[in-house]
Amino acid sequence: MNLARVSKLSVLLCAIATVLITSSAFAAISKTRQLTPGEKAKVSGLILSRDGDLVRVRDKKSHEVITVSIGDATQIERRNHKLPFYRHTDMDVTALLPGLTIEAEGVANFNGQLEASKIWFTPDDFAIEVAQQQQVLANKAAAQNAQSAANQAATAAGAAQNSADQAQNSADQATLQAEAAGVVGLADAAAIAAVDQRVSDLDDYKIESENDVFFDRDSAVLKDEAKPALADLAKLAKSVQGYLIEISGYASNTLGSKTDQKLSEERAAAVARYFYEVQNIPMRRILIPVGYGSTHPLASNTNAEGRELNRRVDVKVLVNKSVEEGL
């Protein structure tokens, strides 16, 4: 059972790597098309790279690369989807990451770029492609069912002395299944994180600056003492050409996985709104504010000091390396 689960995890991670490597390969070999100024156009295809307000898209029909320019007037529409995706619809513009398939329409500007009036995307497209149609919710249910079976078997072991050994063995097996299902649960979290992909993990981007801000227990309210550091990051970001901001929220594993997940997402969203509402950072310059629940702790959650460090949001200012080479 464990080996099968681990094998699926390996397949999943390989699938993620394949998608990213394939995107990079197409970016290298596809021909870039310059549009005629004033030309009305529509493109449908895979995002290859982001450079601030510029999105390079490989059209699925012509296989040409068209640079799409997004601005304040660009309307972003998220189509219906089945798999989990960040729920703040007012932040849909932050979803435009490498690997996502989009449709865009607009009029060409004098730089030969498509100045988008409207962009559509369906989160499922990327989710299915990356996760190889892994059933995230089904695996989560499997983990819960396996844990329930472990509990039932343990109860049976205590109630039936004559079959104690057999019941305990069943409990042990079910516990192993629960642990294995938990591993798959982590793999599913990685798949969703890939949908919300932290592009700073890709070689195309470099980190210009990074900082953590911390939150009170059970709270997603941004504290006043955290704001100066974010203001400094915003100032630095504005000084860098083609910047993007990545926001990752975390919790301290004290409220249960669902509540921790929601709290981590709300913390990330609070930071994103501070950048947008107070520091005038366009939402399109922010990569999906991701909540990672209680994963990736900075310290142990067994003591108050460790939990305080884990109630955080990590913020990075990113730049696409292609800016230095000429997009």
Side-chain angles (χ1 to χ4, degrees), residues 1-322:
M1 180 67 180
N2 285 336
L3 291 177
R5 294 298 189 184
V6 172
S7 178
K8 288 185 178 180
L9 174 60
S10 299
V11 170
L12 172 61
L13 297 178
C14 289
I16 294 172
T18 299
V19 171
L20 299 179
I21 292 171
T22 301
S23 297
S24 299
F26 273 119
I29 65 176
S30 299
K31 177 182 178 182
T32 299
R33 176 187 170 193
Q34 293 289 318
L35 301 176
T36 303
E39 173 186 355
K40 292 184 179 180
K42 183 176 181 179
V43 60
S44 176
L46 195 73
I47 295 179
L48 298 179
S49 66
R50 275 286 306 271
D51 170 21
D53 294 338
L54 302 180
V55 180
R56 297 177 70 241
V57 179
R58 181 176 58 84
D59 188 77
K60 62 184 179 182
K61 290 184 178 180
S62 67
H63 301 294
E64 295 176 319
V65 175
I66 296 176
T67 299
V68 177
S69 176
I70 54 178
D72 292 334
T74 304
Q75 179 183 350
I76 309 292
E77 179 180 314
R78 182 202 307 184
R79 289 177 172 166
N80 292 333
H81 54 96
K82 298 179 181 178
L83 295 181
F85 196 73
Y86 197 74
R87 66 188 177 282
H88 289 273
T89 56
D90 60 328
M91 297 183 184
D92 278 348
V93 68
T94 67
L96 304 182
L97 305 178
L100 183 70
T101 297
I102 66 169
E103 295 180 48
E105 66 178 19
V107 178
N109 59 25
F110 288 101
N111 294 319
Q113 304 158 346
L114 179 63
E115 205 159 281
S117 58
K118 188 174 182 179
I119 292 176
W120 306 264
F121 73 94
T122 303
D124 288 352
D125 293 341
F126 190 30
I128 292 173
E129 185 174 23
V130 171
Q132 291 287 287
Q133 302 188 34
Q134 294 289 319
Q135 296 300 313
V136 175
L137 298 181
N139 286 337
K140 181 179 179 181
Q144 294 173 342
N145 292 339
Q147 186 59 60
S148 177
N151 294 338
Q152 291 175 6
T155 300
Q161 292 297 322
N162 293 334
S163 58
D165 292 340
Q166 181 180 356
Q168 188 59 56
N169 180 60
S170 176
D172 291 341
Q173 290 180 354
T175 300
L176 288 175
Q177 292 176 358
E179 292 174 352
V183 171
V184 176
L186 292 177
D188 293 335
I192 295 304
V195 177
D196 298 335
Q197 180 63 39
R198 300 184 60 179
V199 296
S200 62
D201 291 340
L202 304 181
D203 290 338
D204 290 341
Y205 293 82
K206 68 175 183 178
I207 301 174
E208 287 289 330
S209 185
E210 180 177 8
N211 208 333
D212 285 331
V213 294
F214 301 91
F215 289 76
D216 288 334
R217 180 180 179 181
D218 304 349
S219 174
V221 177
L222 186 63
K223 297 192 289 187
D224 288 339
E225 53 262 40
K227 295 176 181 178
L230 295 180
D232 289 342
L233 278 178
K235 183 178 180 180
L236 183 147
K238 292 176 182 178
S239 70
V240 179
Q241 180 184 356
Y243 74 88
L244 292 168
I245 296 178
E246 176 191 276
I247 301 173
S248 305
Y250 300 91
S252 58
N253 192 27
T254 56
L255 302 173
S257 58
K258 289 184 178 179
T259 305
D260 283 339
Q261 178 63 33
K262 180 179 179 181
L263 190 58
S264 67
E265 291 177 353
E266 294 297 346
R267 286 169 176 167
V271 172
R273 288 200 170 90
Y274 171 79
F275 278 130
Y276 176 68
E277 296 171 359
V278 179
Q279 296 299 326
N280 297 316
I281 297 290
M283 193 63 73
R284 63 183 182 274
R285 289 297 185 102
I286 298 173
L287 303 176
I288 297 177
V290 183
Y292 289 97
S294 58
T295 63
H296 305 93
L298 289 180
S300 172
N301 284 306
T302 58
N303 56 73
E305 293 78 9
R307 292 191 292 273
E308 184 176 356
L309 289 175
N310 294 332
R311 297 192 296 265
R312 73 191 192 281
V313 169
D314 181 57
V315 186
K316 297 176 182 176
V317 177
L318 308 175
V319 176
N320 192 315
K321 292 179 181 178
S322 64

